[in-house]
Each structure stands twice: as structure tokens, then as C-alpha cells.
Amino acid sequence: MTDDRLPSQDLTEGVKRAPNRAMLHAMDLDAEDLQRPMIGVANTAAEITPCNSHLDEVAAAAKEGIDAAGAVHVEFGTITISDGVSMGHEGMKASLISREVIADSVELVAFGERLDAIVGVAGCDKNLPGMLMAGIRTDLPTVLLYGGSRPTGTFHGEEVSGVEVVEGVGAVLGGEMTEAELKELERSACPGAGSCAEMATANTMATIAETIGLAPIGSASPAAETDERQAVAKACGEVVVDALRSGLRPSDVLTRQSFENAIAVQAAISGSTNAVLHLLALAEEAGVDLELETFDSISARTPHVCNLKPGGEYTMHDLHRNGGVPAVLRYLIDGGHVDGGTLTITGETLEEAVERVDPPTPDPAIVRPPEDPIDEEGAIVVLRGNLAPDGAVLKVTGEHEYRFEGPARVFDGENEAFAAVENRDLDGGEVVVIRNEGPRGGPGMQEMLSVTAAIVGAGYDDVALLTDGRFSGATRGPMIGHVAPEAAAGGPIAAVEDGDTITIDVPERTLAVGLSEDEIDARLDDWSPSELEYGRGVLAKYPSMFASAAEGAVTRPCPGWRE
């Protein structure tokens, strides 16, 4: 171990700590155990979602690795909110808040129980950034252990996962699928434990964790409930003990360049737009300056190389069979799109770790070489204009030459918009505007997968959508999110009325409404925020602390709290 005093010694050394040791002895820790480092295993296992239902077994393997490496494991639990289960109804307001609760709870346990290092065991979307945020805040040696993707299903001879079910709702509404077929699809799509197999938020963040250096190389793609996943879990336990011995902390690993690498990989894999929020939040925790424009500039110079769902054809399982994330990283490092010299939690540079794994050359149907990409530009685009002065985010799943102009159709909330889709009450050429769904206004910045997938499934290929809310990693099509400032903060989106002309211009990176500045100001002078829907509890407390989506929707102390 390093010469530095370990936090756990606050519990285990000296006469005054006899009461503390007595409590630990009750946990079957003997005197020899108390001489070893104490490694926290933060486990989001839960029976409310397949993403997390198997994590006790994953955590058990990590604990085995910790103990074999000469430390002592201390397991504790924290919450999860299943985005798939909470999607499309009021419960989705809890999702982004859960990221903060996970980070807060793991930080509190690590601080209060004087843990020496952390393995964060994560399955569903907000688990991963929440665990990483906690590790950064504590600056204890931290390893992210992802639970892996569940198997895909089969429907009418085609491979399916969760996204096809959500789009199937729109297909039923549009008369393209029967309710009986949708019932068959829902029973087929998720045949086991693990997260969604497409490059949705969980897989995107697992990929980013490898890239940024806080998860072992090759750890993102092995499937859930497999021997490979168990081997990854045991290795994570060993890696975190090695990091503690060498003194490696998140602050040693996370640099401006490591974040730029993560953004490049997000662009190359066509990852979830949620990763923009989460990377901004991680950078805030790490004290690394990161601006929204950085995502756009890096994406513009990074080729899109992965043909993965929801915009493509393949899943994380296909990527795993073709070398996993290391195969993508090797291409990007060799092509000069990712800096292989950044440090990882194993003590290796990113390039050294990739070379040690030595991934195979992938099938070009799944991962294209950078010199022959799917698209010369990455998938993430940042738009600005008088409708989004602080920015908005679009994942391009079609042409980068996309332009759209049409009259606004304004909805004050997702439910109103979904009802319009359900009733076939949208007209071609419209721009659907969903507002009051931002971090504060929602509250909680709901994901819009239900309505966006319904639009796609119902065959509305001639409408666009923009919102101050956000999207699932499974969203595809011309859907613009994170519009900032949000409506609840008096952003220009609050001034939009039905029929206003909205222009989306991807090549020019603009999002504008056909109103003058004076007209916008005059409308906002007559505007007032909606009354708070929740007067107490977590849905009242956390939104009051949320910053803008343009800043990662991080939480900060309420202004004037010390006055």
C-alpha cells in the first residue's frame, strides 16, 4: 500500500476505536481482516428491472476478487430507477434525480464508513454516471463494474430488443401492427437479465467508462449472466485493490483529454444523447472545464464507425463478438481521433491497455475503419439560435445535411404530445414542441422515448420534435433535446406559440423561431412559470437544485441557503 493513511484506519486503529471495531467484529471481520483495506462494493441490485436483477451475482464475483487481492469487501446497497419501467408516465420524473441520489448515497457511505476504495456495480442508465460521480467526489480509487446487456429476443424471425416494443406502440397507433402482434412482441423482446442490448444510455456510458479510464478495458461488452461477465467482475475487484496499492485515484485519470476521448467515442458509436448530460456532470465533479460546443466540434471531426441500434442494425453482443470497445478504440487511436496516452485506473495508458487486450479486426458490417466510415462526421450535433441560446442537442441518425422548417405545434408536457400521436392529430410538416419538461420544469427532465418512438412507429416521417426534456438512448430520428434555457427558467421555448415558424438547420447548427428579439421579450413579459406540481418530498427538493441541461443538470446548493 502507499504510505498515506487509509480512511479505514479511522475505524480500526487505537484504543478509542474499540467500539467501532466491536461493530465490525459483529460482521465476522477478525483482527487480521481489520489490518486490510476496506473496499466498498456499492450495489444497485433490484428486483424492479432486468437491468439490475442479476447484480448480486456480479457483486459476489467482485467481492471474490477483492478478497483474493488481499483486501476486505464491504457491500452496501443503493437505489435504482428503471428507465424502461418508468418510461412514458409520471414515474419518469424520478430517473435523472436518481443519478443524483445514487451519487449522494455512495458518497455518504464512503465518507461516513471511511471506505478506502469503491467498486460501483451498475446496471440501468443512471446507475453508471451516478457511481462515477460518487467516485470522483470522494476521489477514492474507483472502478465501475457494469452488469452487461441482456439477450435479444426474436419476433417473426427478426432480432429484437426493447426499442422495437416502444416503436411497436406507434405501429399499432398507425395501423401497421395489431395489438395481438404487439403483445407477442412484448413477450419476446426481453428474454433475460441485463440492460438493453442496443447502444442506448447504459451501453453508451459503459463504453465511455472504459474510454475515460475508470473501467477496465474490455469490460463493457460481455453479456449479463455469462462466465465472461463474472470474470470481468472478479477482475474489477482485483483492479481496484491494485489501484489502491499504487495510489491511483480518479483525479489522476480524469483530464481534459480523457473527456475529449470520451466525446470522440460517443460520436463514433452514435451513442445516447444522455451521455452529453452525464459527461458534463462528470466534468463538473472533476473540476474539468467542458463546454457544450466541445461535443459539436469533436463530433464534427470524428467519423461515425459503429453500425449499432437504435440508428443502425447491430447490438452490443455483435460488437462483443468483434472485439468490443477495444476494437473501436484501436481504430480511433490509430486514426488520430483518440489520444491513447491518457491514463487508466489500471495504471496503463489507454493505448497500452488496448494493445494488451489485442482485439481482432472487426467485421466492417459492424465497425467500419475510420478511413471508410458510415459517416465522415459523428452523430452528436449542438444547435444554437434564438430558440436555444444556451444550446440544444441532436443525435443525427440520418443525413448531416438535414434542414427542416415548419409551423410549431406546442404541447405543455409529454402526455399532451403523446395524446396527439395516439389520436393521429399531427399534421405533416409540423415541428412538435414539448416544453416544461426540463430539469426544473418537469421536474426531473423526463425522457421522451414513448412519444418519439410512437412518432417513428406511427410513420410520421415528415415531422420534427424539440423539447427542453431529454431522450432515451433508444431514440432515433429528427429529435432535438436539452433546449436551454428551459421553459421553467423563462427560456425562449416558453414564448413559442402554435403556428410560429421554426427552422432547424444542421449544417449551420441553428435552431430558430421566426420571431424578433423584441417579440420574444414581449411574450415572455406576459409569461409566468407554472405552479409547482410537487410541494414536498424529493420531487420538490431536487429540482430546486438543478442547473441547466447545458451544464449537465448537476445539482448545486440552493441560493441563499446560508442566509
Side-chain angles (χ1 to χ4, degrees):
M1 301 299 166
T2 65
D3 293 333
D4 295 337
R5 179 179 172 82
L6 295 175
S8 64
Q9 290 174 297
D10 290 347
L11 308 178
T12 60
E13 289 189 349
V15 173
K16 291 190 295 184
R17 296 297 172 247
N20 308 74
R21 291 192 296 271
M23 297 289 285
L24 296 173
H25 289 319
M27 303 301 298
D28 290 329
L29 299 179
D30 60 25
E32 184 179 348
D33 291 329
L34 298 186
Q35 298 302 308
R36 299 174 183 170
M38 297 179 67
I39 312 299
V41 179
N43 187 0
T44 56
E47 295 181 347
I48 57 174
T49 171
C51 308
N52 296 53
S53 61
H54 64 304
L55 292 188
D56 280 338
E57 290 74 26
V58 175
K63 293 187 290 186
E64 182 183 345
I66 289 167
D67 295 346
V72 172
H73 71 265
V74 182
E75 184 179 9
F76 61 96
T78 187
I79 68 157
T80 187
I81 298 294
S82 170
D83 285 13
V85 176
S86 64
M87 191 76 66
H89 55 81
E90 189 177 20
M92 178 45 82
K93 296 176 186 291
S95 175
L96 187 60
I97 295 173
S98 77
R99 181 190 75 178
E100 305 302 305
V101 174
I102 291 167
D104 290 349
S105 63
V106 175
E107 178 191 4
L108 282 171
V109 173
F111 177 79
E113 303 299 316
R114 315 313 287 158
L115 301 178
D116 299 321
I118 299 170
V119 175
V121 186
C124 203
D125 294 6
K126 306 310 172 291
N127 299 175
L128 287 83
M131 290 294 182
L132 292 172
M133 289 165 69
I136 296 168
R137 288 179 190 175
T138 62
D139 203 28
L140 296 173
T142 298
V143 171
L144 181 78
L145 170 51
Y146 177 45
S149 304
R150 63 177 169 262
T152 54
T154 303
F155 175 70
H156 292 184
E158 299 290 330
E159 185 180 46
V160 293
S161 59
V163 65
E164 285 85 2
V165 184
V166 187
E167 292 185 1
V169 173
V172 171
L173 297 178
E176 301 298 320
M177 179 183 285
T178 67
E179 289 189 35
E181 288 174 320
L182 179 60
K183 183 68 71 174
E184 179 186 351
L185 174 59
E186 77 175 63
R187 288 172 175 163
S188 306
C190 302
S195 300
C196 301
E198 58 266 15
M199 191 52 74
T201 304
N203 278 327
T204 299
M205 291 308 300
T207 299
I208 281 173
E210 278 193 44
T211 305
I212 211 166
L214 292 181
I217 288 294
S219 64
S221 62
E225 297 190 296
T226 62
D227 290 343
E228 283 182 285
R229 176 52 56 190
Q230 292 299 102
V232 164
K234 183 177 180 182
C236 283
E238 296 166 347
V239 166
V240 79
V241 177
D242 287 342
L244 181 61
R245 288 195 174 106
S246 62
L248 270 176
R249 300 172 179 270
S251 57
D252 299 312
V253 172
L254 299 180
T255 63
R256 168 77 184 202
Q257 188 57 59
S258 63
F259 278 97
E260 290 190 3
N261 285 348
I263 294 169
V265 169
Q266 179 196 11
I269 63 175
S270 189
S272 167
T273 53
N274 280 316
V276 176
L277 276 181
H278 300 326
L279 281 169
L280 287 168
L282 294 176
E284 169 94 359
E285 301 287 0
V288 172
D289 289 334
L290 194 62
E291 311 79 23
L292 199 54
E293 268 68 28
T294 306
F295 290 83
D296 189 74
S297 61
I298 291 177
S299 184
R301 65 175 187 255
T302 304
H304 173 200
V305 298
C306 289
N307 182 17
L308 301 174
K309 292 183 178 182
E313 302 174 85
Y314 297 96
T315 68
M316 194 66 150
H317 304 305
D318 299 304
L319 179 60
H320 180 64
R321 288 187 285 268
N322 283 269
V325 177
V328 180
L329 286 172
R330 174 179 274 176
Y331 268 159
L332 296 177
I333 290 170
D334 289 349
H337 304 289
V338 162
D339 182 351
T342 56
L343 190 64
T344 72
I345 200 66
T346 63
E348 305 162 291
T349 65
L350 189 62
E351 185 170 14
E352 288 169 345
V354 169
E355 290 309 309
R356 172 176 52 79
V357 172
D358 192 22
T361 300
D363 181 344
I366 299 164
V367 184
R368 301 280 285 274
E371 61 272 17
D372 183 27
I374 297 168
D375 197 310
E376 295 289 342
E377 295 183 44
I380 300 300
V381 170
V382 174
L383 306 176
R384 287 190 188 265
N386 70 346
L387 188 48
D390 293 344
V393 178
L394 166 68
K395 183 169 78 170
V396 177
T397 56
E399 292 293 326
H400 273 84
E401 296 303 310
Y402 180 80
R403 293 180 174 86
F404 193 93
E405 184 174 285
R409 182 73 180 279
V410 181
F411 300 95
D412 286 312
E414 180 188 17
N415 291 338
E416 286 187 14
F418 188 86
V421 179
E422 188 175 25
N423 296 327
R424 305 293 295 173
D425 191 26
L426 295 181
D427 294 326
E430 289 182 324
V431 179
V432 176
V433 178
I434 305 176
R435 64 189 178 197
N436 295 314
E437 294 288 11
R440 294 192 171 196
M445 204 178 182
Q446 293 192 84
E447 289 185 348
M448 301 288 167
L449 179 59
S450 291
V451 68
T452 60
I455 286 172
V456 172
Y460 282 113
D461 56 3
D462 56 352
V463 301
L465 182 148
L466 63 90
T467 178
D468 53 8
R470 61 192 177 89
F471 300 125
S472 165
T475 292
R476 60 189 177 99
M479 314 293 179
I480 300 165
H482 307 195
V483 171
E486 63 176 292
I493 190 172
V496 178
E497 297 176 356
D498 283 347
D500 289 342
T501 299
I502 292 178
T503 302
I504 303 163
D505 192 323
V506 171
E508 296 297 324
R509 300 297 196 261
T510 56
L511 176 62
V513 60
L515 300 171
S516 68
E517 185 175 341
D518 288 343
E519 287 174 310
I520 292 173
D521 289 343
R523 289 187 185 180
L524 290 177
D525 285 342
D526 294 331
W527 168 88
S528 59
S530 303
E531 290 187 14
L532 293 176
E533 187 173 357
Y534 304 94
R536 58 169 52 184
V538 68
L539 291 174
K541 177 170 58 179
Y542 269 88
S544 69
M545 297 184 286
F546 270 127
S548 167
E551 300 174 277
V554 294
T555 51
R556 296 179 176 136
C558 299
W561 70 277
R562 298 190 70 178
E563 295 176 1

